[in-house]
Amino acid sequence: MPGRQVPEPYDNLRDHSCLITGKVQERKREEEPAFGILPDIELQGSAFLVWPSPFGSSLMETTELRTQEYLWPSAPDSDSQPLSTLGSFKALPLEIFHIIFKFLSGVLFKRCTLLLPTKERLKFIYKILSEVSCFKFNGCATPMQCLGLQCYGMFLQTLTAGWDEHECHRVYNFLCEMTHLSRKMQTVVSSKPGSARKLELRIRLFCRNVLLDHWIHHNDSTFWLTQILKPWPIVNQARLLYVIFGPVSPQDGQVLWQKMIEGPTDESSLKDLADTIKLLYDSKNKEWTTDDIISLVDELSVIPREWLLENNARLLILSGNHICFTFMASKAVNGRATELARLIVFLALVCEKERYCMDWAVRMMQKVCKVFGTPVERRNFLQNVATEFAYMMMEMLQSFVSGDLGEDNRAFLTLFHLIQAQANFHKEVLCLTMNPFSP
C-alpha cells in the first residue's frame, strides 16, 4: 500500500524528535546531509500512536499511518545505528506522549475494536499496553515520577465512556485478573500496616491513577470506588481507604500509618479521606447505606490504632454536616454520651484552631442533644460536655507542672487554643440561650 504523508499533528511530533537527544537545532529539510534518513517505516506496531487492527487490512487502510521519511539528528560521517522511530518510552517527551494518549489512542482503539466483544477488546488493549513497562502494575522503577499509569487511566476513561455499569464491571474484573490486584490487596489488608510499604504504594498509585482520579462525574468515581471496596468486609474497606487516600510522605510516597496517632494533623492530610467519604455518602448508589458510611468512619478512626480525638474531630468536620451529625447521633443512640461529650470538646478545639465559626459547633451540639430521649439524658449530656472541658484543661496543666511535656511549644499552644475554645464555645451557648429574648 503506498505511503501517505503524516498528518499535521504527527509532523509536529516528528519535528520535536530532535529534543529527545537534548539538542535544539535549526532544521532545514533541504540540508539533508546533516541528518540520517530512515527508510519508509510503518507505525502500526507502535504502542504510542497506532493500534494494530484485529479486523485485518481492510480496516487498517483507514487507520494506518506511514512516514515517507523520518529525519533524525546524526553525524554525517558516523556509522552508528539509527534509533527507533519514536525512541523509547522514557526518551519520548512526556508532555507530547500525554497529549497523544489522551486525545487519540483511546478513541482510535475504540473505533478499531467496535465490533469485538468486550473481553476481546480488553485482551487486545492489555496485550498492547503490557509491552510498555510503565503501564504495568510493577513495571516502572520510579513510579512516583512516571506518567505511565496516568496515561493508562485516561485511556481507560476514553475507552469506557458511555459504557453501562455491567460492562465496566467486566473491565474491573479483567484488570484484577491481569494484575492480580485482589491478591495484592489481600496481602496488604492481612499484613501489619506498613510491613508491605512498596506494595501499598503500588496499589495506591494504580487505584488512583488508573481507576479513580480521571472521572469528571461523581457517579463514575463512586462506581469504580465501589468495585474496589465492596468485595471486602468493613474492616478491610477502611484499611484500603487509608492506603489509597490517607496521608503519605512527600519524599517517597509511603503511607504514613502513624500520622493520626502521634499528634494533631492538618487539613491537607485528611482532605482526600473526607472527600471520599462525602462522595460515598452523597452518591445515589444503593450499595452504600448510611450505616455503611458510619461504620466505615468508625473503623477508619482506629487504623492502625485509635486516632487522637482531635484528628477524628477534624475528619468529621471536613466530611460535612450530615456525616458529622449522623456519626455523633449514632453514639448518642448507643449510650456513649461521655465519649460524645469529649468529641464535642475537640470539635470546638478544631474550630478554634482553624478559625471556623464556633456557632457551628454549638448548633451541632444542640442538634445532637435532641437525639437523647429524655430531659434527664439531655441534661446529663450537657453536664458531661462542661466536665470534659474542665478535665482536659486540668490534664494538660498537670502535664506542664510535672514537666512531662518538656519544652514542647505545640502542647502549650494547644492549651492556649483549648482555653480560647472554651470561652468562645460558652459565649455562643449564652447567645443561643438569650436569642429568644432578643428584640
Side-chain angles (χ1 to χ4, degrees), residues 133-193:
S133 63
C134 292
F135 293 150
K136 297 179 181 178
F137 187 92
N138 291 318
C140 187
T142 56
M144 290 289 291
Q145 291 76 40
C146 182
L147 292 179
L149 291 182
Q150 293 183 38
C151 293
Y152 196 162
M154 288 188 295
F155 180 92
L156 186 67
Q157 180 190 29
T158 304
L159 176 68
T160 59
W163 289 15
D164 60 32
E165 289 191 356
H166 176 70
E167 292 297 308
C168 291
H169 181 70
R170 296 177 67 180
V171 173
Y172 179 76
N173 287 341
F174 179 83
L175 289 174
C176 285
E177 181 183 348
M178 293 294 103
T179 62
H180 306 291
L181 182 61
S182 298
R183 190 177 68 189
K184 291 177 169 68
M185 288 180 174
Q186 178 65 54
T187 300
V188 164
V189 298
S190 59
S191 304
K192 182 181 178 182

Side-chain angles (χ1 to χ4, degrees), residues 232-363:
W232 304 94
I234 192 70
V235 176
N236 292 345
Q237 288 179 19
R239 282 279 295 271
L240 287 173
L241 203 65
Y242 197 97
V243 168
I244 299 171
F245 296 103
V248 294
S249 167
Q251 286 76 33
D252 55 15
Q254 305 292 339
V255 179
L256 300 176
W257 290 102
Q258 306 301 316
K259 182 81 170 179
M260 305 301 167
I261 302 168
E262 294 176 341
T265 188
D266 55 8
E267 181 177 321
S268 61
S269 298
L270 288 164
K271 187 178 185 305
D272 286 348
L273 284 171
D275 288 345
T276 305
I277 293 168
K278 282 193 293 185
L279 177 71
L280 295 176
Y281 184 85
D282 295 337
S283 71
K284 308 296 184 187
N285 195 319
K286 295 180 181 179
E287 293 190 58
W288 293 99
T289 66
T290 300
D291 288 342
D292 290 336
I293 304 301
I294 299 308
S295 297
L296 191 59
V297 174
D298 216 11
E299 289 292 341
L300 190 62
S301 63
V302 293
I303 291 178
R305 298 190 304 278
E306 188 172 357
W307 290 10
L308 294 181
L309 263 179
E310 182 177 335
N311 294 333
N312 199 0
R314 193 180 298 274
L315 176 65
L316 290 174
I317 291 174
L318 294 174
S319 297
N321 291 351
H322 295 297
I323 294 174
C324 184
F325 168 72
T326 307
F327 182 84
M328 298 174 75
S330 69
K331 291 187 180 296
V333 170
N334 293 322
R336 298 159 71 177
T338 302
E339 181 182 338
L340 180 58
R342 194 169 181 84
L343 184 56
I344 290 286
V345 173
F346 278 100
L347 287 178
L349 177 61
V350 173
C351 286
E352 180 64 32
K353 280 188 172 183
E354 302 298 331
R355 297 188 177 182
Y356 299 149
C357 184
M358 191 63 74
D359 175 69
W360 175 88
V362 172
R363 292 190 179 277

Side-chain angles (χ1 to χ4, degrees), residues 1 17-18 20 31 34 50-51 74 81 84 87 108 209-210 236 260 265 294 300 350 361 368 383 402 412-414:
M1 187 172 71
S17 62
C18 60
I20 298 176
E31 298 177 1
V50 181
W51 303 95
S74 63
Q81 294 293 323
S84 63
L108 183 58
N209 293 336
V210 177
N236 292 345
M260 305 301 167
T265 188
I294 299 308
L300 190 62
V350 173
V368 171
Q383 181 61 50
S402 63
F412 181 79
L413 191 59
T414 298

Side-chain angles (χ1 to χ4, degrees), residues 47-144:
F48 304 109
L49 297 177
V50 181
W51 303 95
S53 171
F55 298 108
S57 59
S58 60
L59 182 59
M60 282 307 298
E61 289 178 359
T62 63
T63 57
E64 178 181 314
L65 297 176
R66 299 171 64 90
T67 56
Q68 296 298 322
E69 62 179 21
Y70 193 88
L71 300 181
W72 198 273
S74 63
D77 54 349
S78 68
D79 296 328
S80 61
Q81 294 293 323
L83 297 175
S84 63
T85 307
L86 291 176
S88 66
F89 174 72
K90 292 182 179 179
L92 187 68
L94 292 178
E95 295 81 5
I96 298 176
F97 180 77
H98 197 271
I99 294 171
I100 293 173
F101 215 79
K102 180 176 182 180
F103 294 107
L104 175 63
S105 298
V107 176
L108 183 58
F109 175 84
K110 199 168 186 175
R111 291 175 180 175
C112 288
T113 62
L114 182 63
L115 301 180
L116 283 179
T118 300
K119 191 168 185 179
E120 296 303 315
R121 300 175 90 177
L122 295 174
K123 286 181 179 178
F124 188 54
I125 177 180
Y126 189 80
K127 180 179 182 297
I128 298 299
L129 294 182
S130 62
E131 295 176 3
V132 181
S133 63
C134 292
F135 293 150
K136 297 179 181 178
F137 187 92
N138 291 318
C140 187
T142 56
M144 290 289 291

Side-chain angles (χ1 to χ4, degrees), residues 16-30:
H16 283 292
S17 62
C18 60
L19 299 180
I20 298 176
T21 64
K23 301 176 182 179
V24 180
Q25 304 180 20
E26 286 285 336
R27 301 185 58 177
K28 297 182 180 179
R29 299 196 176 210
E30 60 269 23

Side-chain angles (χ1 to χ4, degrees), residues 29 38 97 122 196 226 282 303 319 335 381 392 396 404 407:
R29 299 196 176 210
L38 297 184
F97 180 77
L122 295 174
T226 301
D282 295 337
I303 291 178
S319 297
F381 169 64
M392 284 182 58
M396 295 194 72
D404 293 342
E407 297 182 0

